[in-house]
Amino acid sequence: MVDVFDDLTAEYRQLDAVLAALTPDQWAHPSAAEGWSVADVVLHLAQTEEAIDHRSSVAGKVYLTSAEATVDGVVEDMVAAERGISPADLLARWRKAAFATPDALRAHPAGTRLSWVRATLSPRTLATTRIAEHWAHAQDITVPLGIPYPDTARLRHIAWLAHRTLPYAFALAGLPDTPVHCDLTAPDGARWTFGDPAAPTRITGPAAEFCRVGARRLAPEETGLATEGPHAADALRLVRNYAA
């Protein structure tokens, strides 16, 4: 794949171009994230980018501070605590945190593990999660506003992440860890494959739809994705490309 840190910067730039052109009314418009305005979504992205910078320099810190805390609950509280920042200040804050992230992550030596949510990730995997989160929230911003946000080859990182975390999703659901092969069609028509080609459980179809299912922005039954073999339907139901 193309360097994930370069692709993270490119994803930020694509979203930045959208945010820079928003009117005050559009910043206040309801997003596709329930209960959040467009400004709330950007605030959430700024806050989580700032958390990455903190975690990159302070070992042992975790995103969730207790076993009872949930990601949704924590981020909702974070947004509620700072809601009301002006669009200009909010955009500047997100830019400062976001565009510092790729180089900060790239600078870590091989073997580094960074705390995130309840796990530790390599800098490359953490960069991948940031691509996935920014892409998903870009949908929350642009779809309600009718603003184009073209799919790119960067979806390959997101599809990889979704496939890579399937064993965890199966375990949470109490299902056996079943090998899954994904044969996906990229936005430019290229073919992306993940997993053992001999696996009896298979998912095939558009990568963009697979990523949207993993982001919970599209229901499996609303896609052209095809499933075959044991637990393939379960895999498509459980796949996700963000922390829970």
Side-chain angles (χ1 to χ4, degrees):
M1 287 191 282
V2 173
D3 184 86
V4 68
F5 304 116
D6 290 343
D7 272 357
L8 179 56
T9 299
E11 192 67 33
Y12 291 152
R13 286 174 176 160
Q14 183 171 341
L15 179 56
D16 189 26
V18 170
L19 299 180
L22 295 181
T23 66
D25 285 346
Q26 287 175 318
W27 279 94
H29 195 280
S31 76
E34 186 176 356
W36 281 5
S37 67
V38 168
D40 289 337
V41 172
V42 179
L43 174 59
H44 164 64
L45 291 174
Q47 289 171 331
T48 50
E49 288 300 288
E50 290 164 349
I52 289 172
D53 286 346
H54 181 62
R55 240 150 304 283
S56 296
S57 59
V58 182
K61 295 288 184 179
V62 292
Y63 189 66
L64 300 184
T65 56
S66 73
E68 294 76 25
T70 65
V71 174
D72 287 347
V74 168
V75 300
E76 185 65 47
D77 289 347
M78 289 171 64
V79 168
E82 294 194 278
R83 184 176 278 128
I85 299 171
S86 73
D89 289 344
L90 188 52
L91 180 55
R93 177 175 168 180
W94 170 77
R95 283 172 169 165
K96 179 180 178 181
F99 286 105
T101 296
D103 285 343
L105 294 179
R106 195 198 308 268
H108 286 287
T112 298
R113 303 294 295 181
L114 302 173
S115 297
W116 186 246
V117 189
R118 289 195 178 97
T120 61
L121 306 176
S122 72
R124 294 185 64 83
T125 300
L126 185 49
T128 303
T129 70
R130 302 316 296 160
I131 293 175
E133 180 154 18
H134 276 78
W135 173 81
H137 283 307
Q139 313 305 307
D140 295 336
I141 293 168
T142 59
V143 171
L145 295 176
I147 296 172
Y149 197 82
D151 292 327
T152 72
R154 295 188 294 276
L155 289 183
R156 192 178 194 281
H157 299 292
I158 303 172
W160 171 86
L161 181 67
H163 178 268
R164 178 67 179 82
T165 56
L166 274 173
Y168 176 71
F170 279 131
L172 283 182
L175 295 173
D177 181 5
T178 302
V180 178
H181 179 68
C182 293
D183 190 341
L184 306 174
T185 305
D188 66 357
R191 183 184 179 192
W192 296 340
T193 60
F194 305 94
D196 183 0
T201 297
R202 305 174 64 84
I203 298 173
T204 59
E209 293 185 350
F210 181 71
C211 292
R212 283 174 170 80
V213 170
R216 300 297 196 270
R217 268 62 176 183
L218 188 63
E221 62 271 18
E222 296 173 344
T223 73
L225 295 165
T227 57
E228 177 184 349
H231 300 301
D234 289 328
L236 200 53
R237 173 175 59 88
L238 298 170
V239 65
R240 64 191 307 152
N241 42 40
Y242 62 95

